[in-house]
Amino acid sequence: MRRLNRKKTLNLVKELDAFPKIPESYVETSASGGTVSLIAFTTIAFLTIMEFTVYRDTWMKYEYEVDKDFTSKLRINIDITVAMRCQYVGADVLDLAETMVASADGLIYEPVVFDLSPQQKEWQRMLQLIQSRLQEEHSLQDVIFKSAFKSASTALPPREDNSLQSPDACRIHGHLYVNKVAGNFHITVGKAIPHPRGHAHLAALVSHESYNFSHRIDHLSFGELIPGIINPLDGTEKIASDHNQMFQYFITVVPTKLHTYKISAETHQFSVTERERVINHAAGSHGVSGIFMKYDISSLMVTVTEEHMPFWQFLVRLCGIIGGIFSTTGILHGFGRFVAEVIFCRFRLGSYRSTSVPLPDGHTSNHLPLITDNSTH
């Protein structure tokens, strides 16, 4: 009984076979079929390699939501070199939430030489080239996000030459923590002095002829400091054409959460608009000489996530490629054979000529004789 049930089950399974096997003696091969098969196999191999390349690649997904975090502090990372001595300049932050000057104790004033060494000039040139490419090809930003924490540091390399020139500039670097509201980070003449009605700078003690706000922004970012990320103002250099010159940067900061397969960090992206003008009160151009960075915090937050194609989707696409190519090439091959047979049959029919067959009554017939079994004997 068990064997009988097994045979019935086996026969039932055989009847459900959707891939019937044809004996090799019934299979006919042809040169055209072999040629089409080679083309199909080559196409399948090429598309499989391309699909595997797509499977290995990743892409960045951007999601937008309202930023509900208003109580935390915003970190500003600064590395700016001004072509004035450190005792002549002062840097501070003034935001809209408070009329008092935000503390700038986290900044370091370091006397340096403004002119760069040959290696540093090469670094700046390459950084400016990358910035120009980023403005033209926005998709390169995804590559930078993927390579964060993996690429080389974007900080200005130290001088390789021992310059004996006396320091003629001041490097202001460090970080500050400010409120998440619009504010103004500025570098101007004289040290800042806070008072109840705002703030002021001791500019009266500095000679007007020593004003020179030519500057170089080696790094400026907001939020967590991530090595490998290039910010819009990194590598910027401005040369003042007049003593009384104002440089303004209008910055819009966007909170950003970055989640890749390498890192997970909370940082900030920003866009910037630049403007510079000479202060001339007689011509109606009022203001204070210096470098002013007016930033505003966006109410939207961007979540950047690195995504990868699932393995099951890769298998489905691969099966679609193989099955689709086999089906398409089979249809094209069958259609080509049908057309070829139709054309060849017409040529064969045209090659036959009518023959005269004598009849018993003396007449002749131009029709082809009918070949029967009796006529073969």
Side-chain angles (χ1 to χ4, degrees), residues 117-294:
S117 64
Q119 182 179 353
Q120 291 176 331
K121 289 181 180 179
E122 182 65 19
W123 170 87
Q124 186 185 32
R125 189 186 67 82
M126 291 299 299
L127 191 57
Q128 291 176 351
L129 180 61
I130 295 174
Q131 293 285 16
S132 62
R133 293 293 296 170
L134 283 174
Q135 294 177 3
E136 298 174 359
E137 302 290 341
H138 298 286
S139 59
L140 292 178
Q141 186 63 44
D142 294 347
V143 180
I144 294 178
F145 281 150
K146 294 178 186 178
S147 61
F149 275 164
K150 188 173 64 175
S151 60
S153 175
T154 58
L156 178 68
R159 301 185 68 94
E160 75 280 4
D161 58 342
N162 297 323
S163 177
L164 300 178
Q165 182 180 354
S166 60
D168 58 351
C170 183
R171 179 190 175 195
I172 304 174
H173 60 98
H175 61 272
L176 301 171
Y177 287 95
V178 298
N179 298 318
K180 291 186 67 174
V181 293
N184 180 10
F185 169 77
H186 52 274
I187 301 174
T188 186
V189 179
K191 302 299 180 181
I193 301 177
H195 58 82
R197 294 186 178 182
H199 77 290
H201 290 263
L202 293 175
L205 302 179
V206 182
S207 173
H208 184 271
E209 298 299 327
S210 62
Y211 286 15
N212 185 4
F213 284 100
S214 300
H215 61 281
R216 183 178 60 253
I217 303 176
D218 297 325
H219 179 78
L220 179 70
S221 64
F222 296 83
E224 183 179 348
L225 186 60
I226 302 178
I229 297 295
I230 299 177
N231 297 277
L233 287 177
D234 293 354
T236 301
E237 185 176 77
K238 298 291 184 180
I239 303 299
S241 58
D242 192 272
H243 294 290
N244 288 335
Q245 193 153 351
M246 173 189 289
F247 297 91
Q248 293 176 305
Y249 300 91
F250 300 93
I251 300 173
T252 301
V253 183
V254 181
T256 304
K257 291 183 179 180
L258 184 61
H259 301 287
T260 67
Y261 290 102
K262 299 295 182 180
I263 63 170
S264 180
E266 294 187 3
T267 181
H268 292 72
Q269 302 179 83
F270 67 90
S271 60
V272 59
T273 302
E274 304 176 13
R275 184 187 177 191
E276 58 181 81
R277 60 189 176 92
V278 176
I279 303 301
N280 189 348
H281 299 286
S285 178
H286 304 290
V288 179
S289 303
I291 305 167
F292 297 85
M293 298 182 177
K294 300 181 180 181

Side-chain angles (χ1 to χ4, degrees), residues 93-98 179-184 294-297:
V93 180
L94 182 64
D95 58 36
L96 297 181
E98 300 176 354
N179 298 318
K180 291 186 67 174
V181 293
N184 180 10
K294 300 181 180 181
Y295 59 89
D296 192 7
I297 312 298

